[in-house]
Amino acid sequence: MITQVKAVGDYTQASGAPARKQLTFFTTYSQISGAFFPQKFAFNCLLVVALVMVY
């Protein structure tokens, strides 16, 4: 669910940015998904079943 890996940086070495520095402009989706959705595959399966039942 999280689209931005925290272990690596977004900048190249030639840019002069510190190691592991990341952009924060397009990370709203990652922050929201990381806060509200558990990191379990079973939860995703149950969510799909519930959405199919509602449909």
Side-chain angles (χ1 to χ4, degrees), residues 4-25:
Q4 185 178 25
V5 181
K6 300 294 183 197
V8 297
D10 293 334
Y11 294 93
T12 61
Q13 288 182 344
S15 69
R20 297 186 182 159
K21 180 159 177 67
Q22 293 185 335
L23 294 172
T24 56
F25 188 73

Side-chain angles (χ1 to χ4, degrees), residues 13-46:
Q13 288 182 344
S15 69
R20 297 186 182 159
K21 180 159 177 67
Q22 293 185 335
L23 294 172
T24 56
F25 188 73
F26 294 108
T27 58
T28 304
Y29 177 77
S30 295
Q31 292 171 350
I32 291 172
S33 65
F36 290 108
F37 291 103
Q39 300 297 318
K40 301 286 183 186
F41 181 71
F43 174 79
N44 291 337
C45 292
L46 290 174

